[in-house]
Amino acid sequence: MERYVDERKYPGSSVLLHRHGEEVYHHACGMRDIEKALPFERDTAARIYSMTKPITSVAIMMLAERGLFHLDAPVSDFLPEFAQMRALKPGATSIDDTEPCATPNLQQLLTHTSGLSYPFNPGVLPREMEAQGIIFRADDAVLEETTKRLAALPLAFKPGTKWEYSVSIDVLGRIVEVVSGKDLRTFFREEIFAPLGMEETDFHVPATCRDRFAALYTPLSGNPMELNAAKGDSDTLRCVDRPEKSIFLEPTLYSGGGGLISTLDDYMKFVEMLRRGGMADGGRLLSPNTLKFMMRNHLDGDIAAMGPSSFAEQPMRGTGFGLGGSVVLDPGRVGVPGSVGDFSWGGMASTFFWIDPVLDLTAVFFTQLTPSSSYPSRAEMKAIVHGALVA
């Protein structure tokens, strides 16, 4: 971590490790705001982006446990705008070159096999999403309207035939709203954050955290979210989102795929709930059986076998995908020290968490550099942690 700061790769970072539910290590270094010379500390508030996805996935499974739907249910059962779906034909070069297809179901949304995509992926659909500005940013139109605009586009492929990282978890966030009758922010606050004691996690930068909110940096020129076009910059730490002007101060869209702000200890409460089989200090969120179901591989093989062409937060070889995160099937094929069954996910600003069920270990890492593919810090961190364990 110190080396990454010294080499101007990350502005600053913080890591927290638990073993058997007890804290065993914490370290913070560098700056949360280089321009103001403010340190990156344990209680620094950060954009967790796609680490929002596991929380939305938990919300969906909480509703499923109540018998309100099953995972084979098509999206159109809740969002009628997704009826009569079409998918791009194989090899299509135009957004109009489509054929009829089935509507994706909830499990396909949860596992990124729905046929949806992201604007920063390669391909016809991502280019159209980029042209129409459909990315579920915090300052976009409200979730309902953006979801309807997405539904008007064809899928990149027929559901269940490929794996592609996508806005599918944002669609699930909208389904949480429809089924529960609450907006996503209210559902998270009342049903998940309150029982967990997560008082500094929200779609808005929490009022108590505004003076601890980090700046966001990138080593790329141009828009750091346009991964297909962004190029390296001579300034490896160019600020792209100032804390006092951030779109997360007053968001208009609650993105279940990437909209939350959190702190290191707050997010560890969520990760520890997953490790504990759904148990929180304020009550049980999910059953242990549901958590085991979520953290097993839901693909036929690894992600690589499903022909992905998309950006991904994790290695694809030797890695499967559960509900809300990736699952290590074979550490040797992944090429990173770990255990079979490791469950993890990260965010675009290079944040990361993982749960090792064999070692009974949980880890949360925060920094603020986008994109997360800039440096191999996650693999290096796992190697260091495994090298430090002797029992």
Side-chain angles (χ1 to χ4, degrees):
M1 291 166 65
E2 299 281 359
R3 174 170 58 84
Y4 265 60
V5 171
D6 292 343
E7 295 175 355
R8 287 185 60 81
K9 290 180 176 179
Y10 287 165
S13 61
S14 184
V15 68
L16 180 61
L17 303 177
H18 281 196
R19 189 112 191 261
H20 310 306
E22 299 293 332
E23 180 177 333
V24 293
Y25 184 76
H26 168 263
H27 182 65
C29 63
M31 298 291 170
R32 70 174 183 268
D33 190 322
I34 295 172
E35 290 73 19
K36 293 185 177 180
L38 298 174
F40 204 110
E41 297 174 310
R42 182 167 182 150
D43 62 356
T44 292
R47 303 155 192 79
I48 63 171
Y49 287 118
S50 288
M51 281 168 62
T52 305
K53 288 179 170 69
I55 297 177
T56 304
S57 301
V58 163
I60 283 288
M61 296 310 296
M62 290 171 68
L63 295 173
E65 274 196 348
R66 297 171 191 175
L68 299 177
F69 50 72
H70 56 91
L71 298 187
D72 284 337
V75 178
S76 52
D77 280 3
F78 318 96
L79 307 176
E81 58 265 32
F82 281 93
Q84 307 299 317
M85 293 300 296
R86 301 184 68 83
L88 293 169
K89 294 179 181 177
T93 58
S94 166
I95 197 68
D96 300 318
D97 190 8
T98 65
E99 58 187 353
C101 70
T103 297
N105 62 34
L106 299 186
Q107 188 174 32
Q108 290 163 342
L109 289 178
L110 285 160
T111 57
H112 297 290
T113 59
S114 63
L116 296 172
S117 192
Y118 262 123
F120 49 68
N121 288 328
V124 174
L125 176 60
R127 286 197 297 271
E128 186 63 25
M129 292 176 69
E130 175 65 25
Q132 295 192 26
I134 300 175
I135 195 170
F136 293 85
R137 273 173 50 111
D139 58 349
D140 283 348
V142 295
L143 184 55
E144 179 180 7
E145 180 181 331
T146 303
T147 303
K148 287 180 177 179
R149 291 175 59 215
L150 174 71
L153 297 176
L155 301 174
F157 50 85
K158 290 183 177 180
T161 60
K162 293 180 65 178
W163 189 95
E164 185 157 323
Y165 198 39
S166 73
V167 297
S168 62
I169 312 300
D170 286 288
V171 177
L172 288 170
R174 175 60 187 149
I175 290 173
V176 170
E177 293 187 331
V178 170
V179 173
S180 71
K182 303 176 182 178
D183 67 58
L184 194 60
R185 185 188 187 199
T186 300
F187 186 92
F188 279 4
R189 185 172 58 231
E190 294 180 355
E191 307 270 359
I192 299 177
F193 300 155
L196 287 171
M198 295 173 65
E199 298 178 353
E200 297 190 326
T201 303
D202 199 349
F203 290 107
H204 296 244
V205 180
T208 58
C209 295
R210 293 208 170 191
D211 62 345
R212 295 183 269 122
F213 186 37
L216 178 66
Y217 297 87
T218 186
L220 304 180
S221 60
N223 183 347
M225 297 299 183
E226 295 177 0
L227 303 185
N228 297 322
K231 301 191 183 303
D233 196 351
S234 58
D235 182 1
T236 58
L237 290 173
R238 180 172 65 89
C239 187
V240 289
D241 191 30
R242 293 291 315 153
E244 64 273 12
K245 298 179 180 179
S246 176
I247 60 176
F248 293 99
L249 294 174
E250 297 295 337
T252 53
L253 185 147
Y254 302 145
S255 167
L260 287 174
I261 306 298
S262 190
T263 58
L264 191 73
D265 283 285
D266 246 31
Y267 201 83
M268 180 58 88
K269 293 175 183 176
F270 175 76
V271 175
E272 276 291 299
M273 180 275 295
L274 298 181
R275 184 193 68 86
R276 296 170 62 191
M279 193 64 200
D281 290 343
R284 180 170 292 281
L285 270 64
L286 288 169
S287 79
N289 290 327
T290 297
L291 261 298
K292 289 178 183 177
F293 174 74
M294 292 181 68
M295 292 193 284
R296 65 179 301 162
N297 185 30
H298 284 244
L299 308 180
D300 290 339
D302 64 6
I303 297 173
M306 297 197 70
S309 58
S310 67
F311 172 86
E313 301 281 5
Q314 304 291 106
M316 297 182 181
R317 293 183 70 245
T319 302
F321 203 84
L323 305 184
S326 64
V327 183
V328 171
L329 305 178
D330 184 343
R333 295 192 68 231
V334 175
V336 178
S339 300
V340 173
D342 278 7
F343 184 80
S344 65
W345 205 240
M348 186 64 85
S350 304
T351 58
F352 180 54
F353 85 91
W354 91 87
I355 302 169
D356 186 321
V358 176
L359 298 173
D360 199 23
L361 172 79
T362 52
V364 179
F365 176 79
F366 272 19
T367 186
Q368 292 288 266
L369 185 109
T370 182
S372 57
S373 55
S374 300
Y375 307 110
S377 60
R378 297 173 182 176
E380 292 176 356
M381 180 169 61
K382 287 195 78 173
I384 290 169
V385 171
H386 272 262
L389 284 163
V390 294

